[in-house]
Amino acid sequence: MYSIIKTRLLKKIVTRSLKPEQAAALESIGLELKKEIRRKFGRSLHLREVDTGSCGACESEIMAVNNPIYDLQRFGINFVASPRHADALMVTGPLSKNMEIALKKTYDAMPEPKFVITVGDCALDGGLFKGSYYIDKKINEIVPVALHISGCPPSPSRIMQALLDFMRKELA
Amino acid sequence: MPGTDLITIINNKQPNFKAIAVTIPYADEIVIQVKAEDFRKVCLVLHESLSSPVMAFFAVDDRQKQAKFTIYCYFLNIPQGQWVAVSLDIPSVDPYFDSLAKDIYSAHLFEREIWEMFGLEPRGNPDLRRLRLHDEVWPTGNYPLRKDFREIIAGEKKDYKFARVEGEGIFEVPVGPVHAGIIGPGHFRFSVAGEPIIHLESRLGFTHRGVEKLFEGKSLAAGLLLAECVSGDSVIAHSLAYSLAAEKIAGITIGKKTAYCRAIVLELERMYNHVNDIGGIALDVGFSFPAALAAIIKESILQANEKLTGSRYLKGMNKLGGISLEMNPEQQEELTAALSKIKEDFTALVEILDNSVSFVDRVDGTGTLKMEIAEDLGVLGLAGRAAGVKIDLRKHFPSLYHEAKHKIITGRAGDVLARLKVRIEEFNESGRLIAEFLNKISSAETEDSKINPVSGKALGYSEGWRGPVLYWLKTNPAGIIERCKITDPSFHNWPGLSYAVIGEIIPDFPLCNKSFDLSYAGNDL
Ligand code: SF4
């Protein structure tokens, strides 16, 4: 218990802005975004992640977005456990034949309004795995994709920035 | 004749056995070619006398040139630091071989794989259900790793038959493939009697991408890029195993400095993954403060990786015959500074976990995998060591790790606590190894070489953070890959998880699962 208190006091706040020089701008985007989200989705935006064949690094970065350093939650974006609670679906990886049905079902289980975000080069068109006997379709042939975040894997700051930009432009 | 001692061992048990040929293509590999009737017997003798599970078992389609398939079954000879392969030619008409599965459990999944990918029947294997080509979407009779496979021809689509536990009061609980967290897809079917789990069947393959086929036709250099994307949390482990195979084929050795750099990044990969899992275990019992601290440590290592190599996941820096990492004094200093800060945080993290009685109580005795079962199943790597299986490739083959006095870390209990402890100790050991390597690196020479295209076949390997990663490569004279077989430790270890959860309750499954932290991508390929 004491070591927890000690560590907590010593560590202080570790949360970092994307880039220190953008700190002020980011906070204002964040606040603006919060307002937009409140208007459009009521309080907060809930995301649900589905892996359709990723190598795992894209997931790792999406997890990092939630760590105390990037802490996406402070802008009102949360990851949820069920598609039924989600406003947007985040998809990673090329689309393995085995995941086509699961992806469709997950999307269908989400309430309207909803949209899909693909994360990582694989999720755009199969990436390095394009042309495989087991990659038949692209993700946007199964569900409509509103935003793609490129990278292999995209870094947490890139994911955050892309989300914020998108929300500002498209959903305002 | 080469390999006399091994043949003597086999002859002691099988006096009439005569090998067709014994070759030692590389100092660390011996290949015994056998007749069809000897295949099973020889594998059994090696399995027992070397106390080795089947480390890799795969087929190659040689029909274009030689009208046959070839299968290779690899064992590990720890005292000699050598891989022992048993090879068998299989005629292309009515192809089959004698199954090992009933005697050697660790051969079982490999046989199912050979069957679904090549259509070679492991005669006598009681379970020929497919692993990755799901019956619902892939019609029967299509074998994608055969050289003449072009596209799906008609066949039947079916439903997958799960093993069923029947009886009064038995419930079945299906979970997945899409899970609640940010993780890969897999389907788990629990049979429970009241609360305790009495059977778990994991159906995987959901992230199957046909990776092995994608290697075919690529140059060795192009293959390296793909190897880095097979399992995203083991970029270096896969990259090193692949490059070792390629370098063996090309007959080149790497400079000492490259070897140091490679070992350093391999240990960095181990560290960020171990701390990630330590945090994950804490999180799965609802202890969120240390989980947050672990996430901070992981992030610091990823950032140190990026500073050092330009990539958080250490991608794109390993090359065939060398490495594009300078490791100048400035970089060394930065890394040392970063690691000392990380070590401080890590010590605090461990202290918090150790001092929480309720946490330790929660993980102690949970998800136990006993040593005998681990050995029978062929569970390897970290999960194996936590149960007392002393296999660590860093130790068994001559390498820099010897001079650095690397010590194998093992546990005994095989429960979540044991896996946690092995992680903690390995994390510290990795930190020590990196410091040791950094000390010596300045004086090391770089003498890297270029890969020239040649034909050949070789096994490459590395001890990643999960366990041994194996790559077997075969190239043609133009240096183009004809076959690439990947064995990720996850493939060996998934059955271990099914045993570890027996008697536990379903809400403990995420905890047990996290303590193994197996890769979907590495297993599904
Ligand atoms: S984009 Fe890159 S990191 Fe993401 S799943 Fe594909 S290979 Fe892995």
Side-chain angles (χ1 to χ4, degrees), chain A residues 89-102:
Chain A
L89 191 64
M90 233 182 198
V91 189
T92 57
L95 181 55
S96 168
K97 256 174 169 323
N98 290 342
M99 282 305 286
E100 286 174 12
I101 299 169

Side-chain angles (χ1 to χ4, degrees), chain B residues 4-26:
Chain B
T4 329
D5 40 345
L6 268 181
I7 300 296
T8 319
I9 294 177
I10 302 172
N11 279 139
N12 282 343
K13 299 258 174 69
Q14 300 288 339
N16 298 326
F17 167 71
K18 253 186 103 46
I20 297 177
V22 180
T23 47
I24 304 192
Y26 310 97

Side-chain angles (χ1 to χ4, degrees), chain B residues 434-468:
Chain B
I434 293 177
E436 193 91 3
F437 294 148
L438 281 175
N439 264 339
K440 300 219 180 96
I441 200 169
S442 327
S443 54
E445 282 306 312
T446 326
E447 269 175 50
D448 293 334
S449 4
K450 277 235 153 55
I451 290 250
N452 291 318
V454 269
S455 75
K457 31 184 188 270
L459 180 78
Y461 46 89
S462 71
E463 182 78 25
W465 65 272
R466 261 192 206 98

Side-chain angles (χ1 to χ4, degrees), chain B residues 150-162:
Chain B
R150 294 282 171 273
E151 57 191 23
I152 299 179
I153 44 163
E156 222 191 313
K157 290 185 189 168
K158 290 191 286 192
D159 279 336
Y160 182 80
K161 283 208 172 48
F162 283 94

Side-chain angles (χ1 to χ4, degrees), chain A residues 54-58 93-94 119-122 129 151-153, chain B residues 229 315:
Chain A
S54 110
C55 73
C58 278
V119 178
D121 294 347
C122 290
F129 306 98
C152 181
Chain B
C229 290
K315 283 185 174 186

Side-chain angles (χ1 to χ4, degrees), chain B residues 228-348:
Chain B
E228 290 188 342
C229 290
V230 172
S231 178
D233 54 21
S234 303
V235 168
I236 291 296
H238 278 256
S239 181
L240 293 191
Y242 176 91
S243 36
L244 178 58
E247 286 155 7
K248 273 166 80 173
I249 290 176
I252 57 174
T253 45
I254 51 166
K256 194 126 195 216
K257 185 160 176 193
T258 300
Y260 278 123
C261 286
R262 283 183 176 178
I264 289 171
V265 287
L266 183 65
E267 295 311 314
L268 282 171
E269 185 168 275
R270 193 178 319 277
M271 289 173 82
Y272 88 71
N273 278 296
H274 277 1
V275 74
N276 176 51
D277 287 337
I278 293 168
I281 290 172
L283 193 65
D284 279 341
V285 301
F287 197 8
S288 55
F289 181 72
L293 186 52
I296 295 170
I297 301 173
K298 178 187 177 190
E299 181 63 27
S300 328
I301 304 176
L302 292 179
Q303 286 178 4
N305 287 350
E306 188 174 17
K307 219 164 184 192
L308 184 68
T309 69
S311 158
R312 287 161 60 86
Y313 294 88
L314 306 161
K315 283 185 174 186
M317 134 208 43
N318 188 31
K319 302 268 173 298
L320 295 180
I323 194 164
S324 61
L325 179 61
E326 211 185 311
M327 222 22 139
N328 55 36
E330 203 180 304
Q331 285 175 317
Q332 295 180 29
E333 238 165 70
E334 267 177 13
L335 182 60
T336 313
L339 285 176
S340 88
K341 181 80 197 24
I342 285 163
K343 190 171 178 197
E344 221 173 87
D345 284 352
F346 189 73
T347 315

Side-chain angles (χ1 to χ4, degrees), chain A residues 4-150:
Chain A
I4 294 187
I5 296 171
K6 194 178 105 199
T7 317
R8 191 167 281 182
L9 289 175
L10 287 178
K11 274 241 145 284
K12 304 208 178 98
I13 292 178
V14 294
T15 309
R16 254 163 251 170
S17 308
L18 302 186
K19 284 191 193 119
E21 64 273 17
Q22 296 177 340
L26 184 78
E27 282 305 314
S28 67
I29 295 177
L31 292 177
E32 212 177 290
L33 178 71
K34 248 188 186 164
K35 250 191 260 158
E36 282 311 320
I37 292 175
R38 186 177 276 264
R39 195 169 62 82
K40 193 101 182 167
F41 289 97
R43 282 165 205 244
S44 58
L45 179 71
H46 285 183
L47 299 178
R48 163 73 247 194
E49 197 268 344
V50 171
D51 168 357
T52 56
S54 110
C55 73
C58 278
E59 270 74 52
S60 180
E61 292 299 53
I62 294 173
M63 260 169 357
V65 163
N66 291 306
N67 74 22
I69 293 181
Y70 299 99
D71 194 15
L72 190 64
Q73 277 199 339
R74 67 193 147 128
F75 300 125
I77 301 180
N78 295 316
F79 281 82
V80 291
S82 165
R84 299 203 191 277
H85 304 157
D87 307 306
L89 191 64
M90 233 182 198
V91 189
T92 57
L95 181 55
S96 168
K97 256 174 169 323
N98 290 342
M99 282 305 286
E100 286 174 12
I101 299 169
L103 174 63
K104 181 90 180 61
K105 279 191 180 169
T106 308
Y107 180 76
D108 289 345
M110 292 164 60
E112 300 276 355
K114 56 186 170 184
F115 61 97
V116 177
I117 304 164
T118 49
V119 178
D121 294 347
C122 290
L124 184 65
D125 59 357
L128 273 181
F129 306 98
K130 204 165 28 186
S132 156
Y133 62 85
Y134 225 66
I135 312 284
D136 246 6
K137 295 200 172 80
K138 290 186 204 161
I139 287 162
N140 66 10
E141 290 171 46
I142 305 273
V143 292
V145 177
L147 168 68
H148 173 69
I149 305 176
S150 64

Side-chain angles (χ1 to χ4, degrees), chain B residues 444-519:
Chain B
E445 282 306 312
T446 326
E447 269 175 50
D448 293 334
S449 4
K450 277 235 153 55
I451 290 250
N452 291 318
V454 269
S455 75
K457 31 184 188 270
L459 180 78
Y461 46 89
S462 71
E463 182 78 25
W465 65 272
R466 261 192 206 98
V469 175
L470 270 46
Y471 269 72
W472 188 87
L473 285 180
K474 177 170 187 245
T475 55
N476 70 13
I480 300 297
I481 300 172
E482 287 189 336
R483 171 87 170 104
C484 170
K485 171 66 205 149
I486 306 167
T487 311
D488 188 89
S490 307
F491 191 68
H492 290 278
N493 288 2
W494 274 108
L497 176 64
S498 293
Y499 276 82
V501 298
I502 290 177
E504 303 294 348
I505 56 176
I506 293 181
D508 264 355
F509 175 71
L511 175 64
C512 299
N513 191 11
K514 192 75 211 175
S515 73
F516 279 82
D517 194 21
L518 303 173
S519 163

